[in-house]
Each structure stands twice: as structure tokens, then as C-alpha cells.
Amino acid sequence: MLPEHVDPVVFAIICLFAVVFSIAGLVMLYLVLRVPRQGDRAKLRIVDFEIHVGGEGEAYPPVYEVLDGPRAGAIVRSYNFSSKSSSTVRTTSYPNKKTEKLKLRVGRETAGWVHRVDDKGLSTKDFVFQMLFAMPFLLVGIGAIVLAVRMYFR
């Protein structure tokens, strides 16, 4: 039973927000930490970009060549949990203004992680960006939990 000073509808909405945002943040953090946890540090070189066309628009994740570590010489795709593509095309077969700019980045080297089994690679820069994308969801969920607890015990 709720105390008399707590409106049940508002309390239910806040609890729903807390659950949804907390779970979304935790799932995103799990997905981001999956490659570093199940992979090995490696030096990566960008060899091409893919064009993902999906519901949220176009994305241009890189394709890496692994330069060192246990998977040296392997070609891996960038691991990006936020991109669900409906079609994938390499930039070499899809010339436009954006892909011409991306081709200038081909050959650059970066540090990152490579999954031990799957053909997934994650650069340190992408890891930081994905962590920064996931954290607000978790923080909003935690904030809603704090608000619900304060509302209940007030």
C-alpha cells in the first residue's frame, strides 16, 4: 500500500520510467562492454567503410584490418550496437560526396579491441562515444528511482 501523500498514478509513471531507462542503460552498457570484455587489445587500420541504411538514416561504420595480437591480418567490422541496418554496401561501390570524404580516412591506424571469435572490432574512440551514449539512459533511470524513493518516504 502506498502512503496517503503519494499519488498512485504519478508514482506508477515514475516507477515505469525508472524501470525502462535503467534496463535500457544496463543493456547498452552490456553491449558496449561486450567486445572489450570478450576480446583482446589490438592495433586497427581502417581499410574501408560500410554504408548502413536503416530506420534511423545512414551510418558509415569502418571496416578494420587487425595489425597485431592473436587475430593479426583479419578483417573485422566495426561493432556498433545502435545501428541495425537493412542493407550494407561498401563505400568503394557507392560513390557520393560523403564517401569521398570517408576515403581520405582509409589507412589511418587506431587502438581498440577485437572480439576473439566474431568478426567485430571496436576502436577506443567508438568505445568512449558509445559509453557516453549509454550513460544518460542509466542516469535517468537512477534519477527516477531516487525520485520514487523520495516520494514514497516523504
Side-chain angles (χ1 to χ4, degrees):
M1 290 299 239
L2 289 174
E4 287 184 23
H5 67 276
V6 177
D7 183 10
V9 174
V10 174
F11 188 75
I13 290 171
I14 291 173
C15 289
L16 182 67
F17 268 97
V19 168
V20 169
F21 277 92
S22 296
I23 289 174
L26 289 173
V27 167
M28 283 192 253
L29 281 178
Y30 170 77
L31 292 174
V32 169
L33 296 173
R34 185 174 174 195
V35 172
R37 191 179 65 246
Q38 297 175 353
D40 299 309
R41 287 288 280 165
K43 194 166 185 102
L44 306 170
R45 180 184 316 145
I46 299 174
V47 292
D48 200 359
F49 289 86
E50 294 178 334
I51 300 169
H52 289 212
V53 180
E56 69 269 0
E58 288 187 353
Y60 301 93
V63 177
Y64 299 111
E65 176 185 7
V66 182
L67 299 178
D68 63 357
R71 304 232 11 225
I75 302 293
V76 295
R77 298 172 60 182
S78 178
Y79 179 65
N80 185 357
F81 68 81
S82 65
S83 176
K84 301 293 183 200
S85 64
S86 58
S87 65
T88 302
V89 181
R90 292 286 175 96
T91 56
T92 52
S93 60
Y94 186 78
N96 69 12
K97 204 178 270 189
K98 177 71 174 174
T99 58
E100 295 301 320
K101 290 180 182 178
L102 292 173
K103 288 178 186 176
L104 298 175
R105 294 177 47 201
V106 171
R108 289 188 183 170
E109 295 181 3
T110 184
W113 293 269
V114 176
H115 197 276
R116 290 185 186 106
V117 180
D118 296 336
D119 287 335
K120 296 177 185 171
L122 182 66
S123 70
T124 306
K125 177 182 166 186
D126 288 341
F127 175 74
V128 170
F129 284 145
Q130 289 181 9
M131 287 290 286
L132 290 174
F133 182 75
M135 289 306 291
F137 285 92
L138 187 60
L139 293 176
V140 167
I142 291 171
I145 290 170
V146 168
L147 184 63
V149 169
R150 283 188 53 144
M151 180 186 273
Y152 186 82
F153 289 111
R154 187 171 143 200

